[in-house]
Amino acid sequence: MSEAKPELPRRERQSAARANQILDAAAALFAERGFHRTTTRDIAEAADVAEGTLYNYFANKDDLLIGVLQRLSESIETISAPMYQISTDARAYFTALLEVIQSVQEQNLVRILAILSEIMANAELRARFYSQLVDPGIQALERNLKPLTANGQIRQADTAGLARLLASFFIGLFFLELLGDPVVSNDRNRIDEVSLSVIFDGIIAKNQEDQSR
Amino acid sequence: MSEAKPELPRRERQSAARANQILDAAAALFAERGFHRTTTRDIAEAADVAEGTLYNYFANKDDLLIGVLQRLSESIETISAPMYQISTDARAYFTALLEVIQSVQEQNLVRILAILSEIMANAELRARFYSQLVDPGIQALERNLKPLTANGQIRQADTAGLARLLASFFIGLFFLELLGDPVVSNDRNRIDEVSLSVIFDGIIAKNQEDQSR
Amino acid sequence: MSEAKPELPRRERQSAARANQILDAAAALFAERGFHRTTTRDIAEAADVAEGTLYNYFANKDDLLIGVLQRLSESIETISAPMYQISTDARAYFTALLEVIQSVQEQNLVRILAILSEIMANAELRARFYSQLVDPGIQALERNLKPLTANGQIRQADTAGLARLLASFFIGLFFLELLGDPVVSNDRNRIDEVSLSVIFDGIIAKNQEDQSR
Amino acid sequence: MSEAKPELPRRERQSAARANQILDAAAALFAERGFHRTTTRDIAEAADVAEGTLYNYFANKDDLLIGVLQRLSESIETISAPMYQISTDARAYFTALLEVIQSVQEQNLVRILAILSEIMANAELRARFYSQLVDPGIQALERNLKPLTANGQIRQADTAGLARLLASFFIGLFFLELLGDPVVSNDRNRIDEVSLSVIFDGIIAKNQEDQSR
DNA sequence: AATGAATGAGGGTTCATTCAT
DNA sequence: CATGAATGAACCCTCATTCAT
């Protein structure tokens, strides 16, 4: 449960703790009311430090977002690390994938919202978000899909395309939940079932398919 | 169903034109640099009117976003209206669906980006966005999927769930493109092919499925 | 009850009526919320004319105040005209004076308040207010006090000073009422009685006076 | 009764000094050109601070007026405190009263004008002005008049009414001076003499009174 | 390293005034 | 004369950032 950085000098540990305390406060406020509607004063208050102190840890307000992104990035790596070995059985893999994604969302919701609040308006943030989080995620997906395709469990040969398709779906699902769609928000199991069904069998009825063979 | 626009008095026509001119300028700027980084002064300049004029047409800056949303809503209705009849053949429907969605995105990219730039920070906007655009879109999907399920072309009985799944996919795809993913951005055909393949046949290889039975 | 200006051409009568309609609206609003918190739009709406129309009758917003002052001035002249003959008996005169002043206040409250709202901030208005209203009032007082002094009914020889003293008292009383002092606001008779008592007999007990002779 | 001001921490002393510096600048400008014609920029410049600094000390522009009123209130209390013991001899009391009032006016003219400039347009300010300044002043008058009435030096039994009458007179006198009446402005002694004469003996000649009995 | 008062550029909005219709 | 949309200067206020303590 404690961070696995045992050997830092006390000074640095305290400093890192303070920085995290600030980032957590900032993330919570950004998530709640957006980056621009959050003032540095708000953040300082929530983090229980003086406004000037923020600037001992971060170059400016934008830098706080970068910091939140960093923490998010680290957290996701930790959570999703175990996934990199399971990809031997397709059913097992996709089932696990849904779970891991949901777990990432739950544990990092605030950070994700914080970043999303400004992602459209900040090109640098957008680029970092893609290269630090989205792209690595897609790469990981590809890495895991490849053996499944190689051993014939996945028919679709375009692994890169398939990874994008799956990523899109997950991203979109998150967004629908954000928007408060009642089915996605309150009936997630149902969505998961439909997803697995489509992943495994497609949408189109097989009878018809069989007939057409 | 269409407004009786032809015979409006000149005053009102001019007024509407002016409002649109302002909205277009606002949308372009919001899309480019986000809602908060756009000043009313910027908008007025871009729209070639005085700053005060904005307030003859819109109550405040937020109201401009609502206006953009309204225009987006109308535009989408216009574009997607033809879809409401085609759902007889599944393959034809999904093919057409991909096209319509792409066309909506292309023609309204700026408006969509404008709204997205503020959607995380503005709960009211979020609610309107969902209820005016997303929910109607999902409802339309459901309406079109139902006959296909009824006549056995779609196996998945949970139409509502399926509609969410498809919507999620489209939303996520849009987002990936926004983030500059190279495959999605530059090779859209490839994505469409993979999508149709998955929709029709699923991901998992059928042979294996048969074997595992 | 109708204004005694029978022989104006119709055009001019209409024009004057419009101007008065605007002035009355302006006065009411100025009185209610002050000169600066009243917008020309408010006035136009209340007067049921377009904003631009105001400027066909008045040079600018300040000019409206001057106009209100003019109307007030005329109204006061009308009301107080009868006073200019009564000054033969001191008791009768002062009693009548209290009544006339109250009547002026009641019939012109709105106009007075309108002007007071800006009188401290507008030196020109202040000067006009003094020279058109206050000074003439004081002069009239002097004119009426003089015969009373001449025939020995008033002991105080400094008529000018006495007129100021009386004027001060009336002005201050008006102000106390404005401020909502409960005694002055709700018990005006009581104030009048005390006033007359002091005017006639002074404050200091006469017994003592007599003894000191 | 006096604040324990001597041992305040330096920070707080500096802060209070700064607030007063701002209030004095604001009062001077409000008095000169009125509340609404004074901009926050003007005030900041006059107080030699940045505009933003104003808002570290006062919530908004209106709050500056409240602050001026507070200072005025304190100053008046200080000046008029000695009055609370003198009321044993009527002549001495009224003579002292005139002096104290004049001294209050002189030392607080700017503050009074500042508040008057907005008092008609701001109901809250009006209420505060009455309850913090006018009413306490009247109460003090009553407190001082009572013993004089009790020991027979004042004939008028309606102390409350008499206090209003006197207050009205002082207020009106101040107003006449403001309006630039030449007698009141340049010949104050004369007014004081007439006032004392009327207070002591009334206006009406006593001989005649005696005769008319 | 921590503080928080001071800063002042910049923001959204108002409103008296103008002028083409 | 009447209209009311257009104007843009000016206003009050916010807030990220700095810096003396």
Side-chain angles (χ1 to χ4, degrees), chain C residues 80 102 205:
Chain C
S80 56
Q102 208 151 344

Side-chain angles (χ1 to χ4, degrees), chain A residues 59-109:
Chain A
N60 50 44
K61 198 185 168 193
D62 279 18
D63 203 30
L64 285 166
L65 268 184
I66 306 292
V68 172
L69 180 58
Q70 222 87 38
R71 293 208 82 190
L72 173 58
S73 187
E74 290 161 16
S75 168
I76 288 183
E77 267 170 43
T78 307
I79 296 174
S80 56
M83 280 302 287
Y84 291 99
Q85 277 96 23
I86 326 183
S87 50
T88 56
D89 176 66
R91 285 188 179 268
Y93 176 70
F94 284 113
T95 312
L97 184 59
L98 288 177
E99 271 168 27
V100 164
I101 284 177
Q102 209 151 344
S103 148
V104 164
Q105 282 180 20
E106 273 164 21
Q107 294 184 37
N108 291 281
L109 184 60

Side-chain angles (χ1 to χ4, degrees), chain C residues 147-189:
Chain C
L148 295 173
T149 310
N151 71 18
Q153 293 190 61
I154 287 183
R155 84 144 65 89
Q156 177 55 257
D158 183 352
T159 310
L162 186 55
R164 265 77 185 174
L165 185 150
L166 289 168
S168 293
F169 169 61
F170 296 130
I171 291 171
L173 212 52
F174 178 73
F175 204 64
L176 267 195
E177 188 168 358
L178 260 189
L179 288 175
D181 179 273
V183 176
V184 176
S185 302
N186 308 326
D187 223 351
R188 190 55 175 265
N189 284 343

Side-chain angles (χ1 to χ4, degrees), chain B residues 35-57:
Chain B
F35 179 75
H36 277 103
R37 298 200 208 267
T38 302
T39 70
T40 52
R41 202 169 314 239
D42 292 336
I43 298 169
E45 252 172 48
D48 203 36
V49 297
E51 224 175 326
T53 303
L54 300 184
Y55 293 85
N56 289 335
Y57 293 90

Side-chain angles (χ1 to χ4, degrees), chain C residues 99-162:
Chain C
E99 269 169 29
V100 164
I101 284 177
Q102 208 151 344
S103 146
V104 163
Q105 282 180 22
E106 272 164 23
Q107 292 182 40
N108 290 281
L109 184 59
V110 161
R111 289 168 187 151
I112 296 172
L113 295 180
I115 288 158
L116 288 186
S117 83
E118 185 62 0
I119 207 167
M120 305 295 312
N122 187 329
E124 192 206 333
L125 183 69
R126 200 160 56 235
R128 277 177 186 264
F129 182 72
Y130 179 76
S131 65
Q132 283 191 32
L133 286 186
V134 179
D135 190 46
I138 293 177
Q139 301 303 330
L141 257 177
E142 289 193 44
R143 256 198 316 281
N144 290 333
L145 291 174
K146 247 174 213 149
L148 295 173
T149 310
N151 71 18
Q153 293 190 61
I154 287 183
R155 84 144 65 89
Q156 177 55 257
D158 183 352
T159 310
L162 186 55

